[in-house]
Amino acid sequence: MELFRALLASDGSRFFAAFERVLQGHEIETEARAVGFGVSPDKFVAYRFIWFEGLALLRLAERAGLRSDAPFLYCPPLARVAMTMECDNDWALPFGAGAK
């Protein structure tokens, strides 16, 4: 809750301190799942190294005027770069008889 209160208050020092605490919890959970049995490596690999929720929180912070260039585990710098061009239909791949 502190993370969201700090975000709403646009308090950068509070937000990033709370973000680090949440990140530590995510790390503990992720590493436990990584060494546990029953986790399919091919389905878990993206979640093992990238924290999608953390990236979203950092993007929300940037939109609120809070910025940190500090490296955060599971939030790689390239995933934090703002898009500079639109990508219409980048998810659509042609298939079937007419695909090239």
Side-chain angles (χ1 to χ4, degrees), residues 26 30 40-52 74:
H26 173 75
T30 300
S40 173
D42 58 331
K43 293 181 181 177
F44 184 62
V45 70
Y47 299 98
R48 172 71 169 82
F49 298 104
I50 298 175
W51 183 29
F52 297 100
Y74 304 107

Side-chain angles (χ1 to χ4, degrees), residues 15-97:
F15 174 82
F16 289 110
F19 184 83
E20 284 285 353
R21 288 190 296 274
V22 174
L23 174 59
Q24 289 172 354
H26 173 75
E27 179 181 13
I28 291 167
E29 182 181 314
T30 300
E31 296 307 316
R33 286 187 66 200
V35 298
F37 293 103
V39 176
S40 173
D42 58 331
K43 293 181 181 177
F44 184 62
V45 70
Y47 299 98
R48 172 71 169 82
F49 298 104
I50 298 175
W51 183 29
F52 297 100
E53 293 86 352
L55 291 170
L57 288 167
L58 291 173
R59 183 59 53 97
L60 288 172
E62 286 180 12
R63 288 185 176 187
L66 310 177
R67 182 151 176 83
S68 174
D69 291 323
F72 294 108
L73 190 62
Y74 304 107
C75 298
L78 283 177
R80 295 175 59 191
V81 174
M83 291 183 61
T84 57
M85 60 185 248
E86 289 187 33
C87 298
D88 292 332
N89 296 324
D90 63 342
W91 58 271
L93 298 174
F95 62 92

